[in-house]
Amino acid sequence: VPGDVGYGSGNIDFVGTVVVQGDVTQGFSVKAGQNVEVHGGIMGGTVEAGGDVLVRYGIVGGGRGRVKAGGKVRCRFIESAEVEAGGDVVVSDGILGSQVSGDSVTVTGGRGSIVGGRIRARREISAQTLGSAMGAPTDLQVGVPPAVRVELEHIREQLSRVEDRFGHATRTATYLTSSGAAQTAGISREFAEKSRRLTGAERQQLSARMAALQAQLQPEPGACIKGYEAVYPGVRITIGAERHVVVDQSTNSCFVIGEDGEITLIPAW
């Protein structure tokens, strides 16, 4: 693509590698079976690649942009965007208020920071600065493939809704049976009992799947979160199933699972 992906080019969908000489602008998309190279930035657009996504400048979501790569993602910065990579995410300057997941997520620059948002990685999250002096909510999670955490969250939400339906169906069936009423508000006893059984079966299936996913929360050996210059209070650390909220500012910090099975702070260097 000789310039921007926008009104002049329309959306791009190609089985091979796509090279964009300009930006991917808001509301437009690029899909590639292999790699995507953007010589400008991704400015509210959507990019999906079977391979790597390489961006010369930044990825700015604006609440709409999304990047998904089967391989790695490399860029200068990520701001208010959703980025999902099957491989590593490597950023030179910083990540601000974004949802980012990858095998590892690393900010390499000398002043690189991760501020706000939620970052998930299987192996490692690292930057010079984690969080901010203003206490920006920053959620960092490692030790488990990000897809497992995503599915577990989804199952928990589904199960909560099913539990509510199951409770309502059970109360209705019990009331109709005990009252002897043939019909109340147009709901028969048989219908209420059938609803209770079906909801109970769905509840059992979701509970079994959640238990299977929770069994996968055993953290990856060596999984860690590193903040070389500063880790600010309010940063939420999750390694496997263990959680920790940073209370005191620290430097040269590496959070790992200790011998006691709890999150421990050790020197990063």
Side-chain angles (χ1 to χ4, degrees), residues 3 7 20 29 54 97 145 149 154 159 166 171 188 205 223 225 231 251 257 260:
Y7 291 104
V20 179
S29 66
L54 309 175
R149 293 197 191 275
H154 182 60
L159 187 57
F166 180 75
R171 290 191 297 272
S188 67
Q205 289 176 349
I225 295 173
V231 180
T251 188
I257 292 293
D260 58 358

Side-chain angles (χ1 to χ4, degrees), residues 25-73:
T25 61
Q26 184 171 312
F28 291 89
S29 66
V30 176
K31 295 183 180 179
Q34 297 180 14
N35 302 332
V36 173
E37 298 179 22
V38 181
H39 291 182
I42 300 175
M43 315 304 288
T46 298
V47 173
E48 294 185 24
D52 300 338
V53 174
L54 309 175
V55 184
R56 178 172 295 176
Y57 298 114
I59 299 172
V60 180
R64 298 183 182 182
R66 184 171 186 269
V67 174
K68 183 175 182 179
K72 65 177 178 288
V73 173

